[in-house]
Amino acid sequence: MNMEAYFNRIYAVAFKLTGDEEIAEEISTKAILKTISNFNSETEITVGMFKLTILELYKIYLIMPKSRYNDNMNGIQSALLKLKPVNRALVIWKDILGFKLSDNTPLSGSYGELYKELTYGRKELKEHISMGQID
């Protein structure tokens, strides 16, 4: 993966989590800088490095004050932002990024608890979509 694709993918995940361009830019930059500081400038962007950056991004996201809901959002992003932060984080982790719940999931809790929250998040997302609550 080239550096531009790496930055774009990290930002896209940050935006899905926050729904705010400025906050997404801020936390994605922090996560990238923290991850890259552990590598040298000639390090190739690997899947492992991408995943480490995503973990950093999640750590930052989960301790930040709750992001504001943007009423101008449309589609799936709008439905994602209606989920509780934990449910949103798990849906993005598993269903959008394709990571396993057992792969150093950035959320604490047993596998059963996390799977329960993931299932609840999926159900809520489906309801928002099927009830026409998204544009």
Side-chain angles (χ1 to χ4, degrees), residues 18-72:
T18 65
D20 184 285
E21 291 175 5
E22 290 178 25
I23 295 171
E25 185 176 333
E26 180 182 333
I27 69 171
S28 61
T29 300
K30 286 180 182 179
I32 289 168
L33 289 175
K34 178 137 180 148
T35 305
I36 288 179
S37 70
N38 296 325
F39 297 92
N40 64 42
S41 61
E42 296 178 17
T43 302
E44 181 181 333
I45 307 297
T46 64
V47 173
M49 187 172 171
F50 174 74
K51 190 169 182 180
L52 286 173
T53 308
I54 294 296
L55 284 168
E56 273 307 315
L57 182 69
Y58 268 70
K59 288 176 190 175
I60 296 166
Y61 165 73
L62 291 170
I63 61 169
M64 67 183 262
K66 302 301 176 230
S67 56
R68 58 188 182 264
Y69 179 74
N70 184 344
D71 289 328
N72 296 321

Side-chain angles (χ1 to χ4, degrees), residues 5-6 12 23 45 57 62 69 75 85 101 105 111 121-122 126-128 133 135:
Y6 167 70
I23 295 171
I45 307 297
L57 182 69
L62 291 170
Y69 179 74
L101 289 182
T105 304
Y111 178 83
R122 287 171 171 167
K126 184 177 178 180
E127 287 175 10
H128 290 306
Q133 294 180 348
D135 299 327

Side-chain angles (χ1 to χ4, degrees), residues 70-134:
N70 184 344
D71 289 328
N72 296 321
M73 283 290 140
N74 292 317
I76 299 297
Q77 180 65 35
S78 175
L80 276 171
L81 292 173
K82 291 177 183 175
L83 301 178
K84 292 187 313 187
V86 169
N87 300 116
R88 183 184 328 153
L90 286 168
V91 167
I92 292 169
W93 181 261
K94 177 76 171 91
D95 296 337
I96 294 175
L97 295 172
F99 296 142
K100 296 178 183 175
L101 289 182
S102 60
D103 286 350
N104 298 321
T105 304
L107 302 162
S108 60
S110 70
Y111 178 83
E113 292 169 343
L114 294 174
Y115 192 77
K116 180 180 171 183
E117 290 295 329
L118 173 64
T119 301
Y120 182 76
R122 287 171 171 167
K123 180 182 177 223
E124 288 289 307
L125 186 63
K126 184 177 178 180
E127 287 175 10
H128 290 306
I129 292 169
S130 67
M131 293 176 63
Q133 294 180 348
I134 64 171

